[in-house]
């Protein structure tokens, strides 16, 4: 099982400027599991649409590459600040950025250039920090803000593009936009309501709220919110497939039952087996038309779904990375994304009926689907994933 | 028959094999039952009846109506059996 240290839950939610077909802000993050470190960049490209998208992407990619190559964060960002071109039309720089470098002990370094100041929330209140300021030698209007401090468990850092703080700008209610103060009030309220809200949810709430400020809910600029939450890891155990050695069913059922965290079962046979071993009953939801079999329920288990079709669909959704559909695979995706450390117990006993050539669709082999889930969850969604074949 | 009488229970297996072999279409069974019979019937799902791997059956999808097994079930077959159960 995966280890117990603190976890950096980081995620970003974005909304495009109304009428554009691509994002003008870019968020990228990379986890270095060996060093227990996460680097993330939020960059806002000048303007909107494809041009802004390229500028923001370029900036974020360059910063991540510099750091991956072993360069010091301050040095890397300084080079970017000194070299970012100036737009010939608007005479301002091509992009702004925030960089976050955080490790498992909570030590965090932040560099901001041009983006709204981040917000540090602790116990529902704001902690303000004095930055060290570096002014560009070449461009007097470019200034980097450097911060270095230590996070305490349950602390949060909130970063956003100016699409958030300037939302509603010029409207009667928000002459000057929602502003950082408005965002802080909102964060206070939200964190009072739900102290342990995940980064993804909080980021989504911020983006939604910013959009609400805009007339007709049409975003005037790209809106991005990135949240970092330093906390005890949320654990999830997914049990899928019956164990190869049926005589060990009881043993694995006990491990499942004692798992400290959320639990999901993917597979009808697996659900029956666990219900039998743990002396629990399964209730199924009413059958409804849909592309996937309906979910079932078992006491003490957070989600019970069918196996291979649902897992395959979930993998598809994770690859698409869009909105989460309201079906069993969407529910599983939601559960996976809300967890930090995910254990898969994968039973390898085959169901011969699945390999009948008469089946109208080809069913994937469970082991392969789970391996692909592991890859995308750890690489793209930066989760700690552990597989166990049983 | 009164509403308080025990309802006829239709159980649809929604295990993987059954689902791909046609149970996906049986999920809408409830809406296909003639309105006059609807109050007499309860449609339920089963996570897996464990019949697909059993050599004796091997004819997914499976549906049970009051315990009576229907193999290679489809809407027509299920409604026929249901009709027989109701009208004797």
């Amino acid at each position: 099982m995966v280890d117990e240290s603190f976890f950096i839950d980081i995620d970003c939610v974005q909304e495009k400027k109304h009428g554009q077909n691509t994002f003008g802000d870019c968020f990228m993050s990379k986890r270095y599991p060996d060093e227990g470190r996460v680097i993330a960049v939020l960059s806002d490209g000048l303007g909107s649409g494809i041009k802004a998208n390229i500028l923001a992407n370029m900036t974020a990619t360059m910063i991540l590459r510099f750091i991956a190559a072993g360069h010091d964060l301050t040095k890397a960002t300084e080079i970017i600040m000194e070299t970012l071109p100036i737009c010939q039309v608007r005479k301002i720089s091509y992009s702004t950025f925030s960089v976050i470098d955080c490790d498992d002990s909570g030590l965090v370094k932040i560099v901001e250039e041009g983006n709204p100041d981040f917000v540090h929330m602790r116990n529902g209140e704001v902690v303000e920090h004095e930055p060290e300021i570096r002014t560009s030698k070449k461009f007097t209007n470019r200034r980097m803000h450097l911060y270095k401090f230590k996070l305490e468990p349950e602390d949060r850092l909130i970063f956003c593009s100016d699409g958030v703080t300037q939302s509603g700008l010029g409207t009667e209610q928000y002459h000057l936009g929602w502003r950082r103060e408005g965002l802080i009030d909102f964060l206070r309220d939200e964190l009072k309501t739900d102290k342990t809200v995940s980064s993804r949810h909080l980021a989504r709430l911020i983006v939604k709220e910013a959009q609400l400020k805009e007339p007709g809910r049409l975003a005037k600029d790209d809106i991005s919110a990135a949240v970092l939450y330093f906390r005890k890891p949320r654990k999830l155990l997914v049990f899928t497939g019956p164990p190869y050695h049926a005589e060990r069913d009881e043993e694995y059922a006990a491990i499942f039952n004692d798992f400290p965290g959320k639990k999901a079962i993917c597979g009808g046979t697996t659900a029956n087996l666990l219900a039998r071993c743990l002396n629990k009953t399964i209730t199924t939801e009413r059958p409804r038309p849909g592309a996937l079999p309906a979910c079932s329920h078992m006491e003490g288990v957070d989600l019970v779904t069918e196996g291979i079709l649902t897992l395959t669909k979930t993998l598809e959704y994770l690859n698409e990375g869009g909105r989460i559909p309201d079906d069993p695979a969407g529910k599983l995706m939601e559960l996976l994304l809300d967890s930090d450390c995910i254990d898969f117990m994968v039973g390898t006993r085959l169901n011969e009926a699945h390999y009948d050539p008469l089946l109208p669709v080809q069913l994937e082999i469970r082991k392969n689907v789970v391996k692909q889930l592991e890859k995308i969850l750890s690489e793209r969604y930066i989760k700690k994933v552990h597989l166990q074949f049983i | 028959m009164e509403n308080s009488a025990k309802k006829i229970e239709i159980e649809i297996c929604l295990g993987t094999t059954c689902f791909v072999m046609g149970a996906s279409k049986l999920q809408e069974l409830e809406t296909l039952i003639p309105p006059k019979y609807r109050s007499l019937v309860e449609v339920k799902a089963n996570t897996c009846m464990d019949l697909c791997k059993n050599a004796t059956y091997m004819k997914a999808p499976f549906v049970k109506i009051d315990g009576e097994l229907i193999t290679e079930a489809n809407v027509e077959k299920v409604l026929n059996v249901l009709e027989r159960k109701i009208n004797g």
Side-chain angles (χ1 to χ4, degrees):
Chain A
M1 307 263 155
V2 274
D3 70 81
E4 285 281 350
S5 57
F6 272 91
F7 186 83
I8 303 160
D9 167 20
I10 187 164
D11 215 328
C12 178
V13 171
Q14 300 182 300
E15 191 58 54
K16 295 185 267 270
K17 176 179 173 174
H18 175 68
Q20 292 291 359
N21 52 15
T22 186
F23 297 96
D25 297 340
C26 174
F27 176 80
M28 284 185 185
S29 61
K30 192 162 168 55
R31 208 174 271 276
Y32 295 87
D34 298 343
E35 301 168 50
R37 183 178 177 207
V38 171
I39 318 264
V41 185
L42 176 64
S43 177
D44 180 349
L46 178 68
S48 59
I50 197 71
K51 175 182 162 187
N53 180 283
I54 293 169
L55 298 173
N57 257 291
M58 217 169 63
T59 310
T61 312
M62 282 197 302
I63 294 175
L64 281 188
R65 292 240 172 109
F66 261 125
I67 293 166
H71 289 278
D72 169 64
L73 175 66
T74 316
K75 189 82 199 137
T77 43
E78 217 163 13
I79 293 171
I80 301 274
M81 175 172 75
E82 296 296 354
T83 50
L84 271 177
I86 300 172
C87 171
Q88 286 311 307
V89 186
R90 301 181 220 193
K91 305 288 176 210
I92 46 177
S93 52
Y94 265 17
S95 59
T96 59
F97 59 82
S98 309
V99 190
I100 311 136
D101 179 350
C102 185
D103 70 19
D104 283 353
S105 75
L107 187 68
V108 64
K109 287 186 232 168
I110 294 168
V111 181
E112 290 180 324
E113 207 275 301
N115 276 348
D117 292 344
F118 70 93
V119 180
H120 180 187
M121 298 294 288
R122 176 177 292 166
N123 297 324
E125 277 310 319
V126 185
V127 185
E128 295 290 0
H129 298 272
E130 268 311 306
E132 179 194 335
I133 295 174
R134 296 254 173 117
T135 309
S136 161
K137 294 177 193 92
K138 270 163 68 187
F139 309 95
T140 48
N141 59 344
R142 289 186 193 173
R143 227 168 269 131
M144 288 195 330
H145 288 182
L146 277 59
Y147 303 85
K148 189 176 173 182
F149 52 94
K150 185 125 190 209
L151 293 173
E152 283 180 13
E154 298 302 312
D155 277 9
R156 290 167 198 271
L157 300 172
I158 295 95
F159 299 82
C160 61
S161 63
D162 58 3
V164 171
T165 47
Q166 293 181 4
S167 59
L169 191 76
T171 58
E172 203 162 308
Q173 205 184 347
Y174 301 97
H175 287 290
L176 300 168
W178 193 21
R179 307 213 287 174
R180 188 170 178 267
E181 290 70 30
L183 171 64
I184 289 173
D185 287 342
F186 177 76
L187 291 169
R188 276 201 192 102
D189 284 349
E190 287 303 324
L191 294 174
K192 209 178 281 168
T193 324
D194 185 358
K195 266 194 201 161
T196 58
V197 60
S198 70
S199 290
R200 200 165 51 85
H201 279 288
L202 187 59
R204 193 191 287 157
L205 290 171
I206 295 169
V207 170
K208 253 195 188 159
E209 191 66 21
Q211 243 185 315
L212 272 178
K213 310 280 179 251
E214 302 277 26
R217 304 201 58 199
L218 307 175
K220 277 194 303 298
D221 191 1
D222 295 295
I223 296 175
S224 304
V227 177
L228 183 151
Y229 182 17
F230 187 60
R231 59 169 159 82
K232 276 252 182 242
R234 292 181 185 176
K235 300 168 113 194
L236 169 68
L237 173 59
V238 181
F239 199 136
T240 179
Y244 187 79
H245 297 287
E247 66 274 16
R248 296 184 68 182
D249 285 357
E250 300 275 348
E251 185 187 324
Y252 290 119
I255 294 176
F256 178 79
N257 199 39
D258 295 341
F259 183 77
K262 294 205 168 180
K263 296 168 201 172
I265 302 171
C266 301
T269 311
T270 319
N272 288 346
L273 176 160
L274 288 167
R276 194 183 63 234
C277 294
L278 302 172
N279 205 10
K280 289 184 182 181
T281 45
I282 301 172
T283 48
T284 42
E285 282 179 13
R286 214 161 225 229
R288 274 186 298 166
L292 291 172
C295 291
S296 327
H297 301 277
M298 197 189 295
E299 181 235 315
V301 182
D302 299 276
L303 183 69
V304 184
T305 71
E306 174 275 346
I308 205 70
L309 299 169
T310 309
L311 289 168
T312 308
K313 197 48 135 187
T314 306
L315 179 63
E316 201 180 303
Y317 290 161
L318 287 167
N319 270 314
E320 285 165 8
R323 278 182 212 281
I324 300 180
D326 181 22
D327 67 11
K331 287 195 184 129
L332 179 59
M333 175 168 171
E334 185 102 45
L335 200 53
L336 290 166
L337 294 188
D338 267 345
S339 308
D340 309 313
C341 301
I342 303 162
D343 276 285
F344 281 96
M345 279 172 87
V346 188
T348 51
R349 199 192 313 163
L350 288 183
N351 182 347
E352 283 165 24
H354 287 185
Y355 305 100
D356 183 343
L358 293 177
L359 289 199
V361 292
Q362 247 195 25
L363 294 177
E364 268 292 347
I365 295 174
R366 187 186 313 273
K367 220 172 173 175
N368 294 347
V369 182
V370 176
K371 276 187 184 164
Q372 288 180 63
L373 281 170
E374 178 206 17
K375 191 169 151 65
I376 188 160
L377 284 168
S378 56
E379 287 177 9
R380 183 146 145 215
Y381 294 94
I382 44 180
K383 308 289 181 193
K384 286 183 186 169
V385 187
H386 179 253
L387 303 189
Q388 188 189 0
F389 295 105
I390 58 176
Chain B
M1 207 182 281
E2 283 172 30
N3 274 349
S4 58
K6 198 179 170 297
K7 290 189 175 185
I8 295 176
E9 192 182 271
I10 303 186
E11 222 182 334
I12 305 167
C13 180
L14 291 184
T16 310
T17 314
C18 286
F19 194 80
V20 299
M21 291 301 279
S24 57
K25 294 192 187 75
L26 292 169
Q27 287 193 115
E28 44 197 304
L29 186 70
E30 199 156 28
T31 58
L32 301 172
I33 294 173
K36 54 180 174 174
Y37 295 153
R38 253 175 234 171
S39 62
L40 310 175
V41 177
E42 195 186 351
V43 181
K44 286 170 70 178
N46 187 313
T47 47
C48 180
M49 293 182 184
D50 276 332
L51 296 175
C52 53
K53 18 192 176 314
N54 188 325
T56 326
Y57 302 100
M58 277 221 162
K59 297 244 157 92
F62 301 102
V63 169
K64 278 182 187 169
I65 301 191
D66 272 352
E68 181 182 335
L69 184 69
I70 305 175
T71 58
E72 290 180 289
N74 55 35
V75 175
E76 203 190 340
K77 267 190 175 180
V78 172
L79 291 182
N80 281 341
V81 176
L82 181 67
E83 181 111 18
R84 172 160 58 75
K85 292 246 173 210
I86 289 172
N87 297 325

